PDB file of all heavy atoms in Angstrom:
ATOM      1  N   HIS A 125       4.065   2.414  -6.018  1.00 89.00           N
ATOM      2  CA  HIS A 125       3.070   3.184  -5.256  1.00 89.00           C
ATOM      3  C   HIS A 125       3.262   4.699  -5.151  1.00 89.00           C
ATOM      4  O   HIS A 125       4.258   5.174  -4.628  1.00 89.00           O
ATOM      5  CB  HIS A 125       2.968   2.689  -3.807  1.00 89.00           C
ATOM      6  CG  HIS A 125       2.782   1.237  -3.681  1.00 89.00           C
ATOM      7  ND1 HIS A 125       1.633   0.621  -4.083  1.00 89.00           N
ATOM      8  CD2 HIS A 125       3.604   0.272  -3.199  1.00 89.00           C
ATOM      9  CE1 HIS A 125       1.748  -0.679  -3.849  1.00 89.00           C
ATOM     10  NE2 HIS A 125       2.928  -0.911  -3.331  1.00 89.00           N
ATOM     11  N   HIS A 128      -0.054   4.897  -0.265  1.00 97.00           N
ATOM     12  CA  HIS A 128       0.498   4.007   0.787  1.00 97.00           C
ATOM     13  C   HIS A 128       1.486   4.759   1.692  1.00 97.00           C
ATOM     14  O   HIS A 128       2.380   4.161   2.264  1.00 97.00           O
ATOM     15  CB  HIS A 128       1.243   2.799   0.179  1.00 97.00           C
ATOM     16  CG  HIS A 128       0.368   1.784  -0.490  1.00 97.00           C
ATOM     17  ND1 HIS A 128       0.107   0.540   0.039  1.00 97.00           N
ATOM     18  CD2 HIS A 128      -0.304   1.821  -1.655  1.00 97.00           C
ATOM     19  CE1 HIS A 128      -0.674  -0.142  -0.780  1.00 97.00           C
ATOM     20  NE2 HIS A 128      -0.948   0.616  -1.822  1.00 97.00           N
ATOM     21  N   ALA A 134      -3.776  -0.641   2.024  1.00 98.00           N
ATOM     22  CA  ALA A 134      -3.225  -2.003   1.990  1.00 98.00           C
ATOM     23  C   ALA A 134      -3.627  -2.697   0.693  1.00 98.00           C
ATOM     24  O   ALA A 134      -4.763  -2.551   0.240  1.00 98.00           O
ATOM     25  CB  ALA A 134      -3.738  -2.808   3.173  1.00 98.00           C
ATOM     26  N   ASP A 135      -2.687  -3.435   0.115  1.00 98.00           N
ATOM     27  CA  ASP A 135      -2.976  -4.234  -1.077  1.00 98.00           C
ATOM     28  C   ASP A 135      -3.204  -5.687  -0.672  1.00 98.00           C
ATOM     29  O   ASP A 135      -2.384  -6.274   0.028  1.00 98.00           O
ATOM     30  CB  ASP A 135      -1.799  -4.183  -2.055  1.00 98.00           C
ATOM     31  CG  ASP A 135      -1.663  -2.827  -2.719  1.00 98.00           C
ATOM     32  OD1 ASP A 135      -2.637  -2.057  -2.680  1.00 98.00           O
ATOM     33  OD2 ASP A 135      -0.590  -2.551  -3.283  1.00 98.00           O
ATOM     34  N   HIS A 222      -4.631  -2.931 -10.596  1.00 97.00           N
ATOM     35  CA  HIS A 222      -5.577  -3.520  -9.622  1.00 97.00           C
ATOM     36  C   HIS A 222      -6.413  -4.676 -10.165  1.00 97.00           C
ATOM     37  O   HIS A 222      -7.582  -4.807  -9.835  1.00 97.00           O
ATOM     38  CB  HIS A 222      -6.493  -2.421  -9.039  1.00 97.00           C
ATOM     39  CG  HIS A 222      -5.735  -1.387  -8.274  1.00 97.00           C
ATOM     40  ND1 HIS A 222      -5.195  -0.284  -8.877  1.00 97.00           N
ATOM     41  CD2 HIS A 222      -5.383  -1.302  -6.979  1.00 97.00           C
ATOM     42  CE1 HIS A 222      -4.562   0.443  -7.973  1.00 97.00           C
ATOM     43  NE2 HIS A 222      -4.642  -0.156  -6.817  1.00 97.00           N
ATOM     44  N   HIS A 225      -4.464  -7.423  -7.543  1.00 98.00           N
ATOM     45  CA  HIS A 225      -4.772  -7.194  -6.133  1.00 98.00           C
ATOM     46  C   HIS A 225      -5.843  -6.117  -6.033  1.00 98.00           C
ATOM     47  O   HIS A 225      -6.079  -5.399  -6.990  1.00 98.00           O
ATOM     48  CB  HIS A 225      -3.518  -6.762  -5.363  1.00 98.00           C
ATOM     49  CG  HIS A 225      -3.029  -5.383  -5.711  1.00 98.00           C
ATOM     50  ND1 HIS A 225      -2.007  -5.141  -6.601  1.00 98.00           N
ATOM     51  CD2 HIS A 225      -3.437  -4.163  -5.306  1.00 98.00           C
ATOM     52  CE1 HIS A 225      -1.806  -3.839  -6.711  1.00 98.00           C
ATOM     53  NE2 HIS A 225      -2.668  -3.215  -5.936  1.00 98.00           N
ATOM     54  N   HIS A 227      -7.117  -2.806  -3.472  1.00 98.00           N
ATOM     55  CA  HIS A 227      -6.458  -1.843  -2.589  1.00 98.00           C
ATOM     56  C   HIS A 227      -7.510  -1.302  -1.613  1.00 98.00           C
ATOM     57  O   HIS A 227      -8.489  -0.706  -2.026  1.00 98.00           O
ATOM     58  CB  HIS A 227      -5.882  -0.738  -3.497  1.00 98.00           C
ATOM     59  CG  HIS A 227      -5.266   0.428  -2.795  1.00 98.00           C
ATOM     60  ND1 HIS A 227      -4.071   0.974  -3.203  1.00 98.00           N
ATOM     61  CD2 HIS A 227      -5.672   1.169  -1.751  1.00 98.00           C
ATOM     62  CE1 HIS A 227      -3.780   2.003  -2.418  1.00 98.00           C
ATOM     63  NE2 HIS A 227      -4.745   2.152  -1.534  1.00 98.00           N
TER      64      HIS A 227
HETATM   65 ZN1  LIG B   1      -2.182  -0.212  -3.457  1.00 63.30          ZN
END
Side-chain angles (χ1 to χ4, degrees):
H125 309 292
H128 290 252
D135 289 343
H222 297 88
H225 70 262
H227 175 136

